[in-house]
Amino acid sequence: MPRYALKIEYDGAPFAGWQRQAVLPSVQGAIEAALGRLEPGPHTIAAAGRTDTGVHATGQVAHCDLGKDWDPFRLAGALNAHLKPLPVAVVAAARVGEDFHARFSAIERRYLFRLLARRAPEVHDRGRVWRVPHPLDGAAMREAAIHLVGRHDFTTFRAIGCQAASPIKTLDELTLETVEVPNGVEYRFRLRARSFLHNQVRSIVGTLERVGAGAWAPDRVKEALEARDRAACGPVCPPQGLYLTGVGYPEDPFAAT
């Protein structure tokens, strides 16, 4: 059966996460239903990452096996037609070898978190940023973030129910961009690693926000990391500012699209 890689965008607000649910709407369920309208029969797709309720994506990758030999461009268009009016789009499709696996072939995941410091409620970005009503110190957050880059035991920044075999991960990148926006400042955190623990990104950003607000000294983040204790973590921030922006592979399946 021909295998296809799909690059997917979605607004996570109306979904109970990526993973198929028995009753609640999910991104996986929506795409599998669209595939069922193209080819009869049950379909199961695998994704590079299972995003939580309310988390968005601009570069999620999944793969599916189909009976028909589809032109990738037409496959993406047909899926998008059947996904309407849901806020999900297949932005690219590519034929891949049967050894390609969206999750297990991936060598990196990239995330963006958007934190808006603004007294007034957000309007146009409602549901797409985490707003705090107080100013933040970007330099202090950058100083604190340095402690988290590299290979560490991230038990402190791991959800209690995380099912990963080990809390040891290598965080290859954690950068912070400051952007002036109307009546406020947006802080854009970019994180890159081969893989992440459950709630790791939201735990890190929530902790760094405490540094920016002046409630934590930058060195306290280092102490929290070394404590290897979930109780030492700062607050876990809400999901609506988080985006899965890309997945890396040894060879980009979408390079020719």
Side-chain angles (χ1 to χ4, degrees):
M1 299 178 70
R3 176 163 292 187
Y4 298 88
L6 308 174
K7 184 183 291 186
I8 305 160
E9 288 185 352
Y10 50 85
D11 179 343
F15 299 105
W18 165 269
Q19 191 169 3
R20 185 193 316 109
Q21 306 284 321
V23 178
L24 298 174
S26 68
V27 183
Q28 180 183 9
I31 297 172
E32 289 175 348
L35 286 167
R37 296 185 182 98
L38 299 183
E39 292 188 3
H43 293 271
T44 300
I45 60 175
R50 296 177 179 177
T51 53
D52 290 337
T53 300
V55 176
H56 314 296
T58 59
Q60 172 73 281
V61 176
H63 77 260
C64 62
D65 296 322
L66 296 174
K68 179 181 174 181
D69 190 3
W70 284 83
D71 172 78
F73 182 81
R74 292 184 179 276
L75 174 61
L79 285 172
N80 288 331
H82 289 297
L83 284 166
K84 293 178 181 179
L86 297 173
V88 183
V90 177
V91 296
R95 179 75 181 266
V96 292
E98 62 182 22
D99 59 340
F100 175 87
H101 194 286
R103 178 184 175 191
F104 298 119
S105 299
I107 57 174
E108 71 172 25
R109 279 88 172 166
R110 299 183 294 277
Y111 283 92
L112 163 69
F113 195 98
R114 298 174 60 198
L115 169 57
L116 175 64
R118 179 174 122 156
R119 183 177 179 182
E122 68 278 29
V123 176
H124 298 294
D125 280 328
R126 182 169 297 169
R128 293 176 175 83
V129 297
W130 173 32
R131 181 189 65 87
V132 297
H134 45 265
L136 298 171
D137 185 338
M141 290 191 286
R142 290 186 185 93
E143 181 182 345
I146 292 172
H147 299 302
L148 301 175
V149 177
R151 183 176 173 82
H152 302 288
D153 182 329
F154 281 99
T155 295
T156 299
F157 300 94
R158 176 188 194 184
I160 293 175
C162 179
Q163 298 179 354
S166 170
I168 298 175
K169 296 290 180 182
T170 300
L171 185 58
D172 296 306
E173 177 185 345
L174 172 50
T175 59
L176 173 57
E177 177 188 8
T178 303
V179 180
E180 297 288 337
V181 297
N183 304 301
V185 180
E186 185 175 316
Y187 298 88
R188 297 176 182 173
F189 298 84
R190 300 185 189 277
L191 300 93
R192 177 172 56 86
R194 185 180 186 94
S195 61
F196 289 86
L197 300 167
H198 188 204
N199 278 356
Q200 183 180 355
V201 175
R202 290 168 56 197
S203 297
I204 287 173
V205 174
T207 299
L208 293 178
E209 186 277 336
R210 292 289 78 204
V211 174
W216 284 38
D219 285 346
R220 185 173 169 184
V221 173
K222 182 176 184 291
E223 296 169 3
L225 176 68
E226 293 175 345
R228 300 178 179 87
D229 182 355
R230 183 62 175 168
C233 185
V236 178
C237 62
Q240 65 263 25
L242 183 57
Y243 299 73
L244 174 58
T245 59
V247 185
Y249 296 94
E251 295 183 7
D252 182 0
F254 306 104
T257 59

